[in-house]
Amino acid sequence: MSDEEIPFLAADSQVSPRPRRGWEGLKAWCFDRLYSKNGINWKIPMGLAAIAAITILSWMICGGSTRGSATKPESCDTVHQGYQCDPDISHSWGQYSAYFNVPTEISSDVPPGCHVTFAQILSRHGGRDPTQGKSTLYAEIIDKIKSHVQDFRGDFAFLGDYSYTLGADKLTAFGAQQMVNSGTAFFTRYKDLSLQSVPFVRASGQERVIDSAESFDHGFHQAKILAGGSEDKQYPYDIIIIPEEPGSNNTLDHGLCTAFEETNRNVSRTAQVTFASTFAPSITDRLNAALAGANLTDQDSIFLMDLCPFETIASITGRPSPFCNLFSQAEWKKYDYYQTLGKYYGYGPGNPLGPTQGTGFVNELVARLTGKAVRDHTSVNQTLDSDPTTFPLDRTLYADFSHDNDITAVFGALGLYSNTPKLSTSHMMTVEDMKGYSAACTVPFAARAFIEKMKCEGAEEEMVRVLVNGRVIPLGMCGGDELGRCGIGAFVESLTFAREGGRWDMCFVGGAGEKEMEKGGAEVS
């Protein structure tokens, strides 16, 4: 399924673990994305220059030496800090932002006297090209501009020679490297556990998600080899792939809750349309003044803003696209809030059935944390989760890969942002106003949430802590201490919403469910 829908203006499946491709196969996949006409970033001229480029770039981009070289281009992305070029705007691209380490009020270091005994990562896939529907619309807007505008000046001059060449839906080479970096960072943070084990890996069944899991695995494996841990003969690691076909029980991809699927867009659409009217018209007026004859609409303006992050992550190094300079820092803040409203009211706490879509995964997490069988009547695949081969409870490292919408729902089911006030659609709220919540801070490309369990001196029971993109979440719902920790008993007890199935009983009640959803949309303010 797609991470998003087209814009608004105007029974259990059985699968078995399957070994994924090794490094040579992953490298070949990277080449295809970079250089094939059927790939997604064919921008390199053919000939001798391309041959030389392939040799160098395969080593750099697809996971070569970590020592670097004089010919390596400067990248905006780093293993531990994530994307750091032009942070005043690049950290305000909503869910299209590249992962960056979010500032944390509580130190993310493992507290003194504690050692981690369990670590779970829930990750979004890496940077991708636009979805098919969006890519078509973006191409049409560029064609409209190029067909009707005769003079391109100033920051708009690049449009004179610009051609739209983005593909659709696929992971980009930059996105693959993000996931290699993520695997490296996961190994580094949990090195003691990682030297003794490898993650149990699952991926929702869309290609870019599976590719992201493989890239993560390679980063983890490479870091393990460099650390001298072992030959790591388990690599390539098995990945449990959970289908995304309609009707499939999949805790990493929503789709079963009928009432939600039929009406969730109305709730987020109401919120975004309302807020768009407060900031998009002035941008449209400015763009039309600079691009005489373009006759852009407010939706066109927002789509042109989208092209900034998409063109950025389509480049090998992730250098900011010229599209980014067409908008001010203040406009990017409003864009980020606009995207945040879409997630909050589409899949988060602002949607009556949003967090319910995350209950299945939360119940799986509880099972892993406690070592007890999964208890769930929502989206869990009972066939998989009742088999210790496809859902083991004795591992110390787990890695799951999904989409931004589904992760937003999981965060809601966990209650991680329960102190975030209801988001206004009439005026912009800051990240501070939202108590650390925003689409960019929670579900950027390659987003990662760590749930870690630790033993601490003097504590009667193990403690649980959650980090979202490097930020330690205070865990107020279970009485978190000054270090962001809750005892495992209090943590599990706080998850009553998920353990009782959320509002799953409303998913299939027809009119009643729809009325409740409409009520949720009407209450947006």
Side-chain angles (χ1 to χ4, degrees):
M1 291 187 179
S2 298
D3 288 345
E4 61 194 354
E5 304 292 343
I6 295 298
F8 56 80
L9 296 182
D12 288 358
S13 301
Q14 297 188 39
V15 298
S16 57
R18 136 186 179 196
R20 303 304 300 162
R21 53 184 168 236
W23 175 231
E24 290 304 316
L26 187 61
K27 187 165 61 176
W29 171 82
C30 285
F31 286 150
D32 178 68
R33 293 295 181 268
L34 283 166
Y35 302 107
S36 170
K37 288 184 179 181
N38 295 322
I40 52 179
N41 283 320
W42 186 60
K43 297 180 179 179
I44 310 297
M46 301 310 292
L48 294 177
I51 295 174
I54 290 175
T55 303
I56 296 171
L57 290 173
S58 66
W59 189 248
M60 296 186 303
I61 301 303
C62 298
S65 170
T66 59
R67 298 178 182 178
S69 70
T71 58
K72 183 174 181 178
E74 181 183 356
S75 174
C76 288
D77 204 40
T78 65
V79 170
H80 297 292
Q81 295 301 312
Y83 194 89
Q84 294 299 326
C85 284
D86 292 350
D88 288 345
I89 65 168
S90 66
H91 295 177
S92 299
W93 294 341
Q95 69 273 16
Y96 303 142
S97 302
Y99 164 82
F100 60 93
N101 207 38
V102 176
T104 180
E105 303 90 342
I106 302 171
S107 172
S108 60
D109 293 341
V110 176
C114 300
H115 66 277
V116 176
T117 60
F118 166 102
Q120 158 86 61
I121 179 174
L122 174 61
S123 173
R124 186 188 180 190
H125 57 76
R128 60 163 172 81
D129 273 328
T131 54
Q132 182 63 63
K134 283 287 190 72
S135 195
T136 298
L137 292 168
Y138 296 155
E140 290 175 354
I141 292 170
I142 295 301
D143 181 66
K144 180 169 70 170
I145 292 173
K146 300 285 292 232
S147 299
H148 295 91
V149 179
Q150 304 299 319
D151 189 20
F152 298 97
R153 297 183 180 182
D155 287 338
F156 299 86
F158 77 96
L159 288 171
D161 297 319
Y162 172 79
S163 296
Y164 184 83
T165 59
L166 297 180
D169 293 308
K170 305 283 188 176
L171 193 70
T172 67
F174 176 86
Q177 184 62 46
Q178 282 186 295
M179 300 310 298
V180 171
N181 290 347
S182 180
T184 301
F186 188 73
F187 174 90
T188 302
R189 179 170 182 82
Y190 304 111
K191 184 176 180 179
D192 289 345
L193 296 179
S194 299
L195 286 172
Q196 304 301 320
S197 183
V198 298
F200 178 78
V201 184
R202 300 187 308 174
S204 197
Q206 196 160 30
E207 181 181 354
R208 61 176 173 267
V209 182
I210 299 169
D211 289 340
S212 292
E214 292 175 348
S215 296
F216 173 94
D217 283 355
H218 176 69
F220 183 96
H221 162 73
Q222 187 178 48
K224 189 168 187 173
I225 294 298
L226 290 174
S230 70
E231 295 181 6
D232 199 16
K233 293 181 179 179
Q234 293 174 269
Y235 183 78
Y237 314 140
D238 288 343
I239 300 175
I240 299 297
I241 300 171
I242 309 177
E244 293 190 3
E245 282 78 13
S248 294
N249 284 53
N250 183 348
T251 57
L252 299 174
D253 182 66
H254 66 91
L256 290 179
C257 180
T258 304
F260 175 77
E261 297 302 322
E262 291 177 352
T263 58
N264 73 302
R265 288 177 235 172
N266 296 334
V267 185
S268 60
R269 179 173 58 195
T270 299
Q272 287 190 298
V273 166
T274 303
F275 183 67
S277 68
T278 71
F279 82 97
S282 62
I283 295 176
T284 303
D285 290 344
R286 180 172 58 78
L287 293 179
N288 281 327
L291 299 170
N295 294 320
L296 299 173
T297 66
D298 289 346
Q299 186 65 80
D300 292 340
S301 296
I302 293 173
F303 282 169
L304 286 174
M305 297 185 85
D306 290 350
L307 285 177
C308 160
F310 279 123
E311 285 286 0
T312 295
I313 62 172
S315 72
I316 294 170
T317 60
R319 302 301 300 178
S321 161
F323 278 100
C324 304
N325 294 329
L326 301 183
F327 308 94
S328 69
Q329 181 179 344
E331 289 169 341
W332 283 118
K333 295 294 183 185
K334 293 176 182 178
Y335 172 88
D336 186 49
Y337 188 67
Y338 165 85
Q339 299 293 5
T340 297
L341 290 173
K343 296 305 169 190
Y344 180 85
Y345 285 107
Y347 297 86
N351 188 299
L353 287 176
T356 293
Q357 310 315 302
T359 57
F361 180 85
V362 173
N363 288 327
E364 290 180 326
L365 175 63
V366 169
R368 290 171 171 176
L369 286 168
T370 61
K372 298 179 181 179
V374 178
R375 298 183 62 181
D376 179 81
H377 64 274
T378 64
S379 60
V380 160
N381 186 307
Q382 301 294 343
T383 302
L384 294 178
D385 284 15
S386 62
D387 186 338
T389 302
T390 51
F391 195 82
L393 294 174
D394 59 352
R395 305 293 284 270
T396 58
L397 298 174
Y398 294 90
D400 289 283
F401 299 86
S402 183
H403 303 275
D404 55 345
N405 293 336
D406 307 284
I407 294 173
T408 297
V410 168
F411 291 167
L414 283 168
L416 296 186
Y417 298 93
S418 57
N419 64 338
T420 294
K422 186 177 181 180
L423 303 193
S424 170
T425 60
S426 62
H427 66 275
M428 187 186 79
M429 297 171 65
T430 66
V431 174
E432 291 73 24
D433 294 333
M434 296 183 284
K435 308 300 182 184
Y437 184 84
S438 78
C441 290
T442 57
V443 288
F445 286 128
R448 61 205 68 166
F450 296 159
I451 299 94
E452 50 190 30
K453 186 168 63 171
M454 60 184 70
K455 287 185 178 180
C456 301
E457 297 174 0
E460 296 182 359
E461 63 176 347
E462 290 184 293
M463 311 288 282
V464 176
R465 192 166 66 158
V466 179
L467 294 81
V468 176
N469 301 321
R471 179 183 178 233
V472 178
I473 304 300
L475 298 187
M477 76 282 191
C478 57
D481 64 15
E482 70 279 2
L483 298 177
R485 306 169 303 175
C486 286
I488 188 169
F491 181 76
V492 172
E493 181 63 27
S494 74
L495 302 176
T496 303
F497 175 83
R499 291 187 292 108
E500 294 182 352
R503 307 175 81 179
W504 196 254
D505 58 326
M506 290 176 52
C507 285
F508 312 101
V509 293
E514 291 179 11
K515 288 180 181 178
E516 184 66 21
M517 290 291 292
E518 290 169 0
K519 178 182 177 183
E523 290 179 351
V524 174
S525 62

